[in-house]
Amino acid sequence: MSAALSETRPRAVVHRLARLRPGTWLLAACGLVILLCAAVPGLIAPGDPLAIAPRESFLSPRWGHPFGTDESGRDLFTRVVHGTRSSVLIGVLSTLLGVGLGAVLGLVTGLGRRWLDAAGSRLIDAMLAFPTLLLALLLIAVRGPGVATVIVAVGLSSAPGYARLLRSEVRRVSRSGHVEAARMLGKGPVAIVWRHILPGALGPLLAVATLGVGQAIVWASALGYLGLGAPPPAPEWGAMLNAGRTYISNGWWMTVFPGLAIVGVGVVATLAGRRLSARWAGRGGAR
């Protein structure tokens, strides 16, 4: 019987993969390319992103320089590929920080008493009413520019949204039938929260966090465009946009290709988050 099960499982996996839509395969391929550029950029673009060649400055896209060169003769394709690591790292770390802070605040407000819930909800509302980019700029003005400051600023700016989502999910799950049954069986509060409430409440939060990665990358690029991110000449997409805007009339490629990279990664992360959210919503509806 175990042999029959071992033969059936690979067939089931192959059958499920064959049923995937072409759009899903394309999304997976784009995600794989982004991960390769972030993890091993030298495999995609083996050149040095900081190497200058003044004699080759302002070259339009051509063979050998598919994205052209900048004002210092640096290859833009190499810089865009190597900039993936910085942008994705900022997006992931800031999202993790936002999810962590939002999870703590959401659990406190969702599981706490009424006065604690009221105070936490007012705090979340106040933070959500403050413009996200303005809050990030305020923190950068206090701490100074830099990659670490951008991560903290974007993470703090996104935390209230995650906190509100988790608070509503915790309250929804805590009123469900299986949680009430666990209480009637005499299980302790810690066991109920750990085994019954958190598994049902964290799923939607993690799905939305995938959407937040793309949004965090866009915010980080906006701060880099303002000169508040990684210092030049680091290959960072926002800083590359800022450097290329001066030459946009005769060097359009200096802004187009970094901009396309920002848009592409944001779209892939957003689509992946929507797929996860839709799948989780389907599972919730099935329950």
Side-chain angles (χ1 to χ4, degrees):
M1 183 174 180
S2 60
L5 287 175
S6 62
E7 293 181 359
T8 304
R9 288 176 180 174
R11 290 182 180 179
V13 172
V14 172
H15 181 66
R16 292 185 63 181
L17 291 176
R19 293 176 58 187
L20 294 178
R21 297 179 179 179
T24 303
W25 285 107
L26 179 60
L27 181 62
C30 292
L32 179 61
V33 171
I34 293 171
L35 290 178
L36 285 176
C37 291
V40 283
L43 182 65
I44 309 298
D48 184 2
L50 303 180
I52 63 173
R55 293 184 178 180
E56 298 182 353
S57 59
F58 296 110
L59 293 180
S60 60
R62 62 188 64 190
W63 183 260
H65 298 289
F67 288 1
T69 61
D70 62 8
E71 72 279 6
S72 299
R74 293 172 295 206
D75 182 62
L76 279 179
F77 177 75
T78 303
R79 288 179 61 77
V80 168
V81 171
H82 283 259
T84 308
R85 173 178 293 178
S86 175
S87 298
V88 172
L89 185 64
I90 291 174
V92 171
L93 291 180
S94 60
T95 301
L96 289 176
L97 177 62
V99 170
L101 295 175
V104 172
L105 186 56
L107 286 175
V108 169
T109 55
L111 297 174
R113 297 186 177 182
R114 289 186 177 181
W115 67 268
L116 189 60
D117 180 27
S121 299
R122 298 295 78 76
L123 176 62
I124 294 173
D125 292 337
M127 294 181 69
L128 285 174
F130 206 77
T132 301
L133 192 57
L134 187 59
L135 180 61
L137 290 174
L138 179 62
L139 182 61
I140 290 175
V142 174
R143 291 178 51 90
V147 174
T149 307
V150 170
I151 293 174
V152 174
V154 176
L156 287 177
S157 302
S158 60
Y162 298 127
R164 170 171 282 186
L165 174 63
L166 187 60
R167 172 187 173 276
S168 63
E169 288 296 321
V170 165
R171 288 193 164 275
R172 179 186 63 83
V173 175
S174 60
R175 291 194 296 265
S176 61
H178 68 280
V179 174
E180 294 294 336
R183 292 194 182 101
M184 293 178 64
L185 291 175
K187 292 186 178 182
V190 177
I192 291 175
V193 171
W194 184 256
R195 296 182 181 180
H196 301 281
I197 295 179
L198 281 183
L202 289 180
L205 179 66
L206 297 179
V208 173
T210 308
L211 290 166
V213 172
Q215 189 178 39
I217 290 174
V218 173
W219 286 347
S221 299
L223 294 173
Y225 178 82
L226 296 175
L228 303 175
E236 198 273 326
W237 292 340
M240 293 169 66
L241 278 176
N242 186 28
R245 66 183 176 85
T246 308
Y247 313 101
I248 194 170
S249 59
N250 56 356
W252 54 268
W253 54 90
M254 295 175 61
T255 54
V256 168
F257 291 113
L260 287 177
I262 296 171
V263 173
V265 174
V267 168
V268 170
T270 300
L271 291 177
R274 287 184 176 179
R275 294 288 180 92
L276 290 176
S277 299
R279 176 166 294 186
W280 187 265
R283 289 180 179 179
R287 284 198 300 265

